[in-house]
């Protein structure tokens, strides 16, 4: 089981058209109340299913909205309060990572985790008192062991990975884009999404052939009278990894 600072969640997608045409059968069942996942071995009816326990389990009838409210919402809320946060989507091609993170417009309940986080952050900013926020975004991909800036002028140019004793690991000259609204965040994300390296696979004709990292950089300045007009600044990061 994960600690309080790290949670591991599994989401099961429905069979796709190719799998249905091949008469594939579902071998996974989920007990969401106990956060358990069961995998049956095809043809081995006498063997008990393999059992796995996570911090959250979601079946095909669950929406991205529910996953966000139960899993992502506390993490994003923590970022607005001064903590760093990362949401890491991991799975093989065609497993539904992009569907969960990017989502679709219709139905609204399946809007992705990233656009929901945009709304969450800017709603917090609108309601905050004695606080100023600077929101910036960056978007990179790792393709064939090379780092590329999906929002840069030259999206195919190889970027350098550096390490600083105080700053830590960072990408040199990675472009940062200031955003002032949910709409601007979505346009930035769509722009980078179109610049990804994609290729056809049997599981997904529009499969991304890279790993992508979308980061929201949140700079928070408290300006209340109780601080004697002194700006107390903290820089926090909300990172979305799709691997």
């Amino acid at each position: 089981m994960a600690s309080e600072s790290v949670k591991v969640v599994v989401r099961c997608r429905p069979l796709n058209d190719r799998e249905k045409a091949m008469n594939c059968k579902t071998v996974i069942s989920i007990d969401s109340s106990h956060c358990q996942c069961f995998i049956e071995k095809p043809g081995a009816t006498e063997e008990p299913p393999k059992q796995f326990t996570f911090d959250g389990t979601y079946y095909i009838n669950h929406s991205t909205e529910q996953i966000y409210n139960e899993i992502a919402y506390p993490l994003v809320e923590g970022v607005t309060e001064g903590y760093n946060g990362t949401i890491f989507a991991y799975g093989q091609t065609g497993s539904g990572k992009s569907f969960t993170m990017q989502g679709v417009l219709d139905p609204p309940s399946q809007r992705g985790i990233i656009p929901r986080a945009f709304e969450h952050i800017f709603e917090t900013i609108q309601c905050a008192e004695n606080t100023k926020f600077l929101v910036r975004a960056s978007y990179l991909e790792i393709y064939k062991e090379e780092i590329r800036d999906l929002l840069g002028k030259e999206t195919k140019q190889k970027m350098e990975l550096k390490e600083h004793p105080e700053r830590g690991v960072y990408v040199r000259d990675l472009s940062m884009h200031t955003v002032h609204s949910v709409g601007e965040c979505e346009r930035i994300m769509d722009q980078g999404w179109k610049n990804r390296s994609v290729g056809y696979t049997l599981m997904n004709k529009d499969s991304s052939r890279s790993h992508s990292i979308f980061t929201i950089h949140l700079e928070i300045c408290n300006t209340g009278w109780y601080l004697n007009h002194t700006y107390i600044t903290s820089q926090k990061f909300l990172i979305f990894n799709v691997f």
Side-chain angles (χ1 to χ4, degrees), residues 13 22 34 51 72 104 118-119 121 130 151 167 199 222 232:
R13 66 159 175 80
M22 295 173 62
H34 294 90
Q51 177 179 324
V104 294
F118 294 156
E119 293 182 347
I121 289 172
N130 299 321
L151 300 176
R167 186 178 176 184
N222 295 320
I232 307 300

Side-chain angles (χ1 to χ4, degrees), residues 13-25 94 203:
R13 66 159 175 80
L15 296 177
N16 59 33
D17 293 339
R18 177 174 176 270
E19 291 163 340
K20 292 177 181 178
M22 295 173 62
N23 294 319
C24 295
K25 304 298 181 183
M203 292 296 293

Side-chain angles (χ1 to χ4, degrees), residues 95-111:
S95 61
K97 303 182 297 295
S98 298
F99 180 84
T100 297
M101 299 297 278
Q102 304 281 138
V104 294
L105 294 177
D106 188 38
S109 62
Q110 297 293 11
R111 292 187 69 241

Side-chain angles (χ1 to χ4, degrees), residues 20-90:
K20 292 177 181 178
M22 295 173 62
N23 294 319
C24 295
K25 304 298 181 183
T26 300
V27 297
I28 294 178
S29 59
I30 284 179
D31 181 357
S32 296
S33 61
H34 294 90
C35 299
Q36 293 179 332
C37 175
F38 304 89
I39 302 179
E40 301 176 2
K41 183 178 179 180
T45 56
E46 296 182 358
E47 292 186 22
K50 298 290 185 180
Q51 177 179 324
F52 303 89
T53 303
F54 300 89
D55 295 293
T57 52
Y58 298 88
Y59 201 48
I60 59 178
N61 58 315
H62 290 112
S63 66
T64 306
E65 180 179 22
Q66 182 176 352
I67 296 173
Y68 185 88
N69 291 338
E70 296 178 1
I71 302 299
Y73 184 94
L75 186 145
V76 179
E77 187 71 10
V79 172
T80 64
E81 295 173 353
Y83 298 92
N84 292 321
T86 298
I87 299 177
F88 191 104
Y90 181 83

Side-chain angles (χ1 to χ4, degrees), residues 64-216:
T64 306
E65 180 179 22
Q66 182 176 352
I67 296 173
Y68 185 88
N69 291 338
E70 296 178 1
I71 302 299
Y73 184 94
L75 186 145
V76 179
E77 187 71 10
V79 172
T80 64
E81 295 173 353
Y83 298 92
N84 292 321
T86 298
I87 299 177
F88 191 104
Y90 181 83
Q92 72 177 54
T93 182
S95 61
K97 303 182 297 295
S98 298
F99 180 84
T100 297
M101 299 297 278
Q102 304 281 138
V104 294
L105 294 177
D106 188 38
S109 62
Q110 297 293 11
R111 292 187 69 241
I113 286 177
I114 297 178
R116 290 180 184 276
F118 294 156
E119 293 182 347
H120 188 163
I121 289 172
F122 281 98
E123 285 177 0
T124 300
I125 291 174
Q126 290 178 355
C127 298
E129 297 181 355
N130 299 321
T131 306
K132 292 185 177 181
F133 294 84
L134 174 63
V135 185
R136 294 177 293 172
S138 63
Y139 202 175
L140 64 84
E141 74 169 358
I142 305 172
Y143 179 65
K144 294 183 178 180
E145 299 184 359
E146 293 184 356
I147 302 172
R148 300 175 180 177
D149 187 352
L150 295 177
L151 300 176
K153 295 181 179 179
E154 298 292 338
T155 59
K156 300 302 181 182
Q157 180 179 348
K158 180 181 177 181
M159 311 294 290
E160 292 183 278
L161 190 65
K162 297 291 184 179
E163 185 172 5
H164 189 274
E166 296 181 359
R167 186 178 176 184
V169 178
Y170 68 100
V171 177
R172 182 179 180 180
D173 297 328
L174 181 66
S175 63
M176 300 277 287
H177 301 261
T178 301
V179 289
H180 303 91
S181 66
V182 173
E184 289 185 12
C185 285
E186 292 178 340
R187 284 193 293 273
I188 285 288
M189 184 176 66
D190 291 341
Q191 177 185 339
W193 187 257
K194 294 175 182 178
N195 291 329
R196 297 174 309 141
S197 299
V198 297
Y200 180 90
T201 69
L202 290 177
M203 292 296 293
N204 184 358
K205 66 181 180 65
D206 296 316
S207 173
S208 172
R209 311 312 299 155
S210 66
H211 307 308
S212 60
I213 301 177
F214 186 95
T215 305
I216 297 175

